[in-house]
């Protein structure tokens, strides 16, 4: 493993700004709407999409210290953090929700994390829910033998990440009236909206049910920018039952989109985003002449 290089992010050669691809889709075309794909999935082969935009500023802030972060058994964020640690020579620890998993064979996602050098620490679900409480966090870090580590929250959404995602909006200024992104923790949406030009709107499509993301996104913007920034809203209808729920209709939709446009569609986030946009177009939600940009934040695993 190479020695830690906290200033070596640029050496990973990200493809920035990520390309914008216009696709012709009859479901939008008949409504007079243009569909653009913001290909953040092409930023880096291992640090994909919004994971790059969130992790890069945090890895710089870590300054070579061990990075501790959190996620479930199939977390894209854990895999991205582990890959970043391997590439930059930074030790990583993944706190995984569910202590019952400790005695089971690792699934392919967690196996990838360990192959990239991440040390896994499993905690019970009650402790995991309380991880943002200072006393609970101290206990988790002590148990994980990582008390001096730099902590990145679940999903990577913190002040540094939100400010990093502002560049996503800046890259799309003047390209689309509406920019849509799938949301897990709200950090990408918070930064994206802040980077857009006046008159442009960010649309968040939550992939979890619960209706909590408006509050979370507002809180992230207050922390990063001192208050709400940009024009943005959420449409809560397309989570398909909750995180990682991929019913047959969604899977069929994603397969059809792949066939139409030759784009591998990640199911947990991107498929729900695209499904939501097709539905909204059918409902006449976008005036004729509107350009809608969909942020492609990831690709299928493995």
């Amino acid at each position: 493993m190479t020695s830690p290089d906290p200033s070596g992010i640029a050496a990973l050669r990200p493809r920035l700004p990520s390309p914008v691809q216009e696709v012709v889709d009859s479901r939008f075309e008949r409504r007079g709407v243009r569909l653009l794909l913001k290909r953040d999935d092409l930023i880096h082969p291992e640090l994909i999409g919004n994971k790059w935009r969130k992790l890069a500023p945090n890895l710089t802030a870590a300054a070579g210290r061990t990075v501790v972060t959190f996620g479930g058994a199939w977390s894209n964020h854990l895999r991205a953090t582990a890959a970043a640690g391997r590439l930059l020579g930074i030790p990583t620890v993944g706190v995984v929700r569910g202590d019952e998993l400790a005695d089971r064979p690792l699934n392919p996602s967690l196996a990838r994390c360990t192959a990239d050098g991440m040390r896994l620490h499993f905690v019970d679900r009650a402790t995991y829910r309380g991880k943002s409480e200072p006393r609970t966090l101290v206990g988790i870090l002590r148990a994980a033998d990582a008390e001096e580590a730099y902590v990145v929250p679940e999903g990577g959404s913190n002040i540094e990440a939100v400010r990093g995602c502002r560049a996503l909006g800046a890259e799309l200024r003047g390209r689309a009236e509406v920019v849509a992104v799938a949301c897990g923790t709200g950090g990408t949406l918070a930064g994206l909206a802040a980077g857009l030009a006046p008159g442009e709107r960010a649309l968040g499509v939550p992939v979890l049910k619960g209706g909590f993301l408006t509050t979370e996104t507002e809180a992230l913007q207050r922390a990063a920018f001192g208050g709400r920034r940009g024009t943005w809203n959420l449409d809560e209808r397309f989570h398909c039952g909750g995180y990682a729920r991929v019913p047959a209709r969604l899977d069929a939709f994603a397969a059809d989109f792949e066939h139409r446009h030759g784009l591998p569609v990640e199911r947990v986030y991107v498929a729900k985003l695209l499904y939501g946009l097709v539905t909204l177009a059918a409902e006449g939600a976008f005036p004729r002449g509107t350009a809608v940009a969909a942020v492609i934040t990831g690709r299928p695993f493995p």
Side-chain angles (χ1 to χ4, degrees):
M1 182 174 287
T2 58
S3 59
D5 178 12
S7 63
I9 297 297
L12 299 183
R13 298 188 177 183
R15 185 180 182 182
L16 291 171
S18 60
V20 177
Q21 171 190 357
E22 183 166 0
V23 297
V24 177
D25 190 304
S26 60
R27 295 166 293 189
F28 294 84
E29 193 176 29
R30 70 171 63 103
R31 299 281 179 169
V33 176
R34 296 169 57 220
L35 177 63
L36 309 176
L37 305 179
K38 176 62 167 167
R39 297 295 304 273
D40 265 19
D41 58 314
L42 300 178
I43 288 177
H44 189 275
E46 295 187 79
L47 304 184
I48 297 167
N50 60 345
K51 302 308 176 190
W52 173 278
R53 296 185 188 277
K54 290 179 173 183
L55 276 173
N58 274 292
L59 292 170
T60 299
R65 286 180 288 163
T66 296
V67 172
V68 172
T69 195
F70 303 81
W74 292 94
S75 169
N76 294 329
H77 172 67
L78 286 183
R79 289 200 308 275
T81 304
R86 172 176 56 80
L87 292 167
L88 293 172
I90 297 172
T92 59
V93 177
V95 179
V96 183
R97 180 179 61 247
D99 58 344
E100 74 278 5
L101 301 173
D103 298 322
R104 299 179 186 174
L106 297 179
N107 67 30
S109 183
L110 293 178
R112 176 69 64 83
C113 291
T114 59
D116 279 337
M118 176 174 275
R119 181 162 55 86
L120 301 179
H121 177 71
F122 298 88
V123 300
D124 65 85
R125 293 169 187 272
T127 299
Y128 191 90
R129 285 193 297 272
K131 62 188 178 300
S132 60
E133 298 295 328
R135 289 181 61 181
T136 302
L137 177 59
V138 167
I140 291 172
L141 295 177
R142 184 182 301 118
D145 193 24
E147 292 176 88
E148 303 302 319
Y150 180 87
V151 177
V152 178
E154 182 177 30
S157 291
N158 58 8
I159 291 173
E160 289 78 10
V162 170
R163 291 173 178 167
C165 288
R166 182 167 48 186
L168 172 59
E171 289 172 22
L172 283 163
R173 284 187 165 215
R175 303 296 297 269
E177 288 76 31
V178 178
V179 180
V181 65
C183 301
T185 54
T188 304
L189 175 64
L192 163 65
L196 292 174
E200 298 170 348
R201 172 170 65 94
L203 169 64
V205 175
V207 301
L208 297 87
K209 60 183 179 180
F212 59 88
L213 266 185
T214 296
T215 300
E216 294 290 326
T217 304
E218 288 176 341
L220 286 166
Q221 286 199 326
R222 282 196 303 273
F225 309 121
R228 185 162 174 143
R229 291 291 184 274
T231 301
W232 57 270
N233 68 291
L234 295 161
D235 194 318
E236 305 270 359
R237 295 179 291 159
F238 306 113
H239 54 70
C240 296
Y243 184 75
R245 298 288 180 89
V246 184
R249 73 180 186 279
L250 182 65
D251 191 50
F253 167 84
D256 175 69
F257 197 95
E258 290 173 333
H259 177 72
R260 288 173 184 249
H261 304 298
L263 173 77
V265 176
E266 187 272 331
R267 296 316 199 246
V268 176
Y269 289 88
V270 177
K272 293 178 180 181
L273 168 67
L274 296 171
Y275 181 76
L277 291 178
V278 168
T279 301
L280 287 165
E283 294 173 349
F286 307 120
R288 296 187 72 85
T290 299
V292 177
V295 182
I296 308 302
T297 50
R299 57 175 177 261
F301 174 80

